[in-house]
Amino acid sequence: MLGFGQTSKLDDSALVKLFDEHAPKLVHAVALLIHDKYEAEEIVQEAFVRLMTSGRRLRNLERAPAFLRSVAFNLARNQIRHRDVVRRKTPLLIDPLEGDQTRSTPELFVLDNLDASALADALHQLSERQRECLVLRYYMDLNEAEIADVLGISKGSVKTHTSRGVEALAVKMGSEK
Amino acid sequence: MRDEDLRMMFRSTEEGSVSREMFYKAQLLASERRGRRNATLSAVGGAVLSLTLFVGGFAVVNNNDNRVSTVENLALAEYSKLESKTLSLGSLASSGRPERLVGASSAGRLVVINGSTGKTERLLTQVKDPNDQTKGGLLGHVTLTPEGDTVYFDVRTADKCSGQIKKISTAGGQVGNVIDGYAPTLDSVGSKLAYVRQTTCNELSIVVRSLVQQEDVVIVTRKLDVAQRVASLSWSPDGRQLIGDFRSDDPSKNRLVYLDVTRVNTFDSSPTLQPGQQSRNGTTYEWPTFLPDGNIFLSQRCCDLNPDSPRQEESRLVVLDSQGKEQGVVAYGFLDVPHTATASDVSGSHLLYMSGTDLMVSDDRARPGILARGLLGAAWR
């Protein structure tokens, strides 16, 4: 396995391959967390920038996907908290140009009529941890140990958040467990 | 819910793909950041090396950045290839729509969008600081030259009440500074640029710049005792008038105003023309755009200023003539979603507006559909 810091043409293609294999899924996973595909793209792009500037700290390309996941999920969490702060501190001058990124757009439901929106909306009503665990488990197909590694929590906590998340999701989506 | 059901449900939400352009942009950003870091390290290293030589020791210069330059050169080369591709913004798609438009995204990107599919085809520039989401960003006003080769746009500055107008070729390249201000609007022949110059939060001027002589003429100055701004400006087809959407912290001072660009205007002391206001009590009109036939496409909300009105609340996108008479309804909108940034193509047949952050398009006044998402505003020719 080539180290990330090694000099080789293969490194170029390996990075491109890494992007092609992981970026689309990661963008969608982050979009499920923050409910905004465009901001999700920004976040994943930033994760790749950090991977590229990580230098010797990341020697093994095999660890790159886990690194990208951790950075992207941390940035997503920061973004959600930043939004909360912004929401609490509403500016005095109402700026008509300032779109509310968290607003669900009714037209989308009417025009698209997608079940996908229902899942995204239900997810949005769960706690941050529950949402992260469900996306990592059922969309990214990670096991409990890998989820614990990404989120920096214990396997037990992952189990709890996942199980409660599934229950809450079932209720929000109006289906039986 | 079974695990497999959940997996299927999550997978079913997948949409679209991710452009490789994002990867190249990441490499450029990484290169910039590494460059800054290396410059700092070089400065520190130079001082250390001088000190080492001074005390009679030795230093080993280890340039281990070859891989980086290889990767980034590849990225730059590929990115340049994308940049050099010609994307014409003046041509029409088979549907009659302009083939491409330029959009300002809420994430601070200026992008070229396919007019038929809504897919982003090119990233022109990104003005938002990726390390600090609270700084920078686009204000959302976008205006194109008649040939579609240059786009003028505005960006946020530290001064919340103002902005800065910039321009860039739609083929890519360097961003050029134009002037301090916001809401740039080119006339139909591309010789005059109207914009808002905001001296303070309470005082602003509408200025017309001749792009030939590079001269500015102040058309109107308005000073209030509360903060104000201009949401939009639009040129009449003959280039003699502007229509402006003046907003303030005091809604009673909001005005939709026609301005004669051939003379200096005052409007707070004179009657203002708010299309349709006389016949529809309590109705507000926002984001007017002149159409090529002289009619105006704008957003209309009924009765939110007058809760006692018997009329049912509604939000519509309509076309009015210059006397305020309704010429047609383009769309019925949702009351809790702002409808902003109206725009038209050069024929007046293809209308754009924002519904929240969704870019909607209506062809020949038919029911609009979503063209793209996550935007603040867009323009086509």
Side-chain angles (χ1 to χ4, degrees):
Chain A
M1 175 57 60
L2 279 166
F4 186 67
Q6 287 180 281
T7 304
S8 165
K9 262 287 185 192
L10 272 177
D11 273 7
D12 303 348
S13 56
L15 265 176
V16 172
K17 196 165 170 247
L18 187 73
F19 178 87
D20 288 345
E21 278 176 10
H22 295 278
K25 199 151 192 173
L26 202 49
V27 165
H28 190 62
V30 174
L32 283 169
L33 293 180
I34 65 172
H35 222 340
D36 187 320
K37 193 190 169 195
Y38 295 90
E39 282 190 10
E41 284 183 9
E42 297 290 321
I43 284 171
V44 173
Q45 179 178 291
E46 175 61 18
F48 271 89
V49 171
R50 292 193 188 179
L51 176 77
M52 291 163 189
T53 51
S54 65
R56 291 178 178 178
R57 279 181 292 155
L58 193 68
R59 288 183 175 277
N60 193 338
L61 203 54
E62 273 180 340
R63 289 197 53 225
F67 176 88
L68 289 169
R69 278 197 296 267
S70 287
V71 173
F73 272 61
N74 277 334
L75 290 171
R77 209 172 300 130
N78 291 345
Q79 182 62 15
I80 290 166
R81 284 170 195 169
H82 170 70
R83 277 183 193 162
D84 289 342
V85 172
V86 171
R87 208 173 290 131
R88 280 200 298 273
K89 297 183 178 180
T90 309
L92 289 174
L93 177 66
I94 296 165
D95 184 349
L97 304 173
E98 195 88 68
D100 181 359
Q101 298 306 299
T102 59
R103 181 197 292 275
S104 64
T105 52
E107 276 94 340
L108 200 65
F109 289 99
V110 175
L111 297 170
D112 284 2
N113 194 24
L114 291 176
D115 288 344
S117 299
L119 175 64
D121 275 8
L123 267 180
H124 210 56
Q125 296 172 53
L126 306 187
S127 77
E128 195 174 290
R129 279 288 186 227
Q130 287 172 353
R131 194 161 56 224
E132 288 172 341
C133 286
L134 292 189
V135 171
L136 287 168
R137 181 90 180 88
Y138 297 110
Y139 182 66
M140 303 289 281
D141 281 329
L142 302 191
N143 61 37
E144 281 166 3
E146 289 169 324
I147 297 171
D149 191 38
V150 172
L151 301 180
I153 57 177
S154 69
K155 280 205 281 183
S157 297
V158 171
K159 212 168 182 172
T160 309
H161 289 306
T162 307
S163 139
R164 289 182 185 162
V166 170
E167 277 177 29
L169 190 70
V171 171
K172 305 286 181 204
M173 296 195 72
S175 63
E176 296 284 322
K177 190 183 173 187
Chain B
M1 284 183 180
R2 290 183 307 136
D3 279 10
E4 209 37 52
D5 293 338
L6 281 162
R7 285 200 178 88
M8 279 180 65
M9 194 165 35
F10 274 90
R11 281 185 203 127
S12 72
T13 64
E14 282 183 330
E15 54 172 351
S17 58
V18 173
S19 162
R20 181 77 71 75
E21 216 164 320
M22 188 175 126
F23 174 76
Y24 301 135
K25 190 74 186 171
Q27 290 199 306
L28 288 172
L29 287 168
S31 168
E32 280 171 20
R33 262 183 231 177
R34 203 180 285 109
R36 280 201 297 269
R37 198 168 59 200
N38 286 349
T40 311
L41 287 174
S42 297
V44 174
V48 171
L49 179 61
S50 307
L51 186 64
T52 311
L53 291 172
F54 180 73
V55 297
F58 63 93
V60 177
V61 179
N62 179 17
N63 184 359
N64 61 355
D65 215 20
N66 290 340
R67 180 197 63 79
V68 171
S69 55
T70 310
V71 171
E72 280 147 13
N73 287 344
L74 172 78
L76 283 166
E78 295 210 27
Y79 197 70
S80 306
K81 267 189 253 166
L82 285 170
E83 294 290 294
S84 62
K85 272 188 206 164
T86 305
L87 295 180
S88 166
L89 271 85
S91 49
L92 298 178
S94 54
S95 60
R97 278 186 198 170
E99 257 187 13
R100 292 179 178 86
L101 59 134
V102 173
S105 86
S106 46
R109 292 179 188 169
L110 198 68
V111 291
V112 175
I113 296 169
N114 185 301
S116 299
T117 64
K119 285 194 76 163
T120 298
E121 294 191 345
R122 171 177 290 169
L123 171 66
L124 293 177
T125 185
Q126 180 165 340
V127 300
K128 206 165 193 169
D129 181 350
N131 292 318
D132 186 348
Q133 297 291 313
T134 62
K135 283 185 186 167
L138 296 166
L139 283 166
H141 298 100
V142 183
T143 185
L144 282 159
T145 52
E147 300 76 26
D149 55 353
T150 302
V151 54
Y152 288 73
F153 60 101
D154 49 10
V155 300
R156 287 185 194 287
T157 52
D159 175 8
K160 183 170 170 50
C161 298
S162 192
Q164 195 169 45
I165 298 171
K166 295 175 182 282
K167 66 175 179 179
I168 188 172
S169 162
T170 49
Q174 293 292 310
V175 173
N177 289 329
V178 178
I179 197 163
D180 286 346
Y182 64 93
T185 314
L186 282 166
D187 68 351
S188 58
V189 292
S191 66
K192 292 190 294 261
L193 179 78
Y195 66 95
V196 183
R197 182 190 290 163
Q198 191 114 20
T199 328
T200 66
C201 285
N202 294 9
E203 183 176 338
L204 58 79
S205 300
I206 305 299
V207 184
V208 173
R209 165 168 286 202
S210 158
L211 294 178
V212 181
Q213 286 114 17
Q214 294 291 306
E215 283 176 1
D216 284 349
V217 177
V218 176
I219 302 302
V220 69
T221 297
R222 189 192 196 206
K223 195 172 181 177
L224 292 181
D225 51 4
V226 291
Q228 61 167 336
R229 62 179 292 116
V230 173
S232 71
L233 285 174
S234 175
W235 281 97
S236 63
D238 62 6
R240 295 179 63 84
Q241 275 188 317
L242 282 166
I243 188 163
D245 182 353
F246 290 73
R247 309 281 183 86
S248 83
D249 279 2
D250 175 359
S252 72
K253 292 189 165 68
N254 287 354
R255 295 283 185 277
L256 214 59
V257 182
Y258 289 109
L259 299 166
D260 182 348
V261 299
T262 60
R263 63 182 180 85
V264 174
N265 295 257
T266 55
F267 66 82
D268 271 335
S269 55
S270 60
T272 62
L273 181 55
Q274 297 192 42
Q277 189 188 34
Q278 299 86 342
S279 58
R280 288 174 182 266
N281 193 23
T283 298
T284 56
Y285 292 90
E286 298 173 347
W287 295 91
T289 289
F290 268 114
L291 299 177
D293 60 5
N295 287 340
I296 297 159
F297 171 47
L298 76 178
S299 168
Q300 176 205 52
R301 277 170 195 271
C302 173
C303 311
D304 49 356
L305 288 180
N306 183 3
D308 298 328
S309 166
R311 283 179 59 81
Q312 196 181 350
E313 283 195 309
E314 62 182 7
S315 173
R316 306 190 303 168
L317 278 301
V318 296
V319 175
L320 305 179
D321 66 17
S322 59
Q323 302 306 308
K325 193 173 170 205
E326 195 169 293
Q327 300 296 305
V329 179
V330 177
Y332 287 89
F334 292 88
L335 275 169
D336 61 341
V337 179
H339 298 99
T340 62
T342 55
S344 168
D345 73 335
V346 73
S347 72
S349 302
H350 307 284
L351 305 177
L352 295 173
Y353 67 94
M354 298 303 307
S355 170
T357 55
D358 294 340
L359 176 64
M360 312 295 288
V361 59
S362 164
D363 299 316
D364 301 316
R365 314 284 157 87
R367 181 186 171 190
I370 297 176
L371 185 60
R373 298 186 63 198
L375 296 174
L376 297 168
W380 55 15
R381 274 289 180 177

